[in-house]
Amino acid sequence: MQQTLLQRADMAISQLQSVTQGRDRYRLGSTDGLLQSLGSEIDALVARRGEGIQLLRLLTNSYADLNGAPKPPPAPSRLPSPRRGGR
């Protein structure tokens, strides 16, 4: 799963780089999105990866509780920092 996620992310980066470099081609009459289903696939893979990480943390904490070992420190928050500038 991790390898698939990395491959799909690389594909998306490549497709988006063509836009930022002005190399994308407009296909007359086409309404296909640039990333098409790739964006949805990446979202699903990221969600599965997140679930796996949560399960690993749960198992690690359970193991530590059973063995009386100290728990690992909590992961840093991924919440966005407050905006500055009054908006």
Side-chain angles (χ1 to χ4, degrees):
M1 176 181 62
Q2 178 73 9
Q3 188 62 30
T4 303
L5 173 60
L6 295 175
Q7 289 171 344
R8 298 306 184 268
D10 282 340
M11 288 172 59
I13 289 168
S14 176
Q15 289 177 359
L16 292 171
Q17 278 179 337
S18 69
V19 173
T20 62
Q21 296 169 357
R23 293 184 291 115
D24 58 315
R25 290 186 262 149
Y26 173 75
R27 293 176 284 172
L28 187 59
S30 174
T31 58
D32 294 343
L34 176 66
L35 296 178
Q36 297 177 6
S37 65
L38 187 58
S40 298
E41 187 177 358
I42 290 172
D43 283 344
L45 288 167
V46 168
R48 285 180 47 203
R49 181 176 176 261
E51 290 168 357
I53 290 170
Q54 286 178 338
L55 179 59
L56 182 59
R57 285 185 182 140
L58 175 69
L59 293 172
T60 302
N61 288 338
S62 296
Y63 179 81
D65 286 344
L66 290 171
N67 288 305
K71 290 184 182 180
S77 172
R78 292 186 177 233
L79 297 176
S81 59
R83 280 187 147 191
R84 294 183 186 180
R87 276 202 192 192

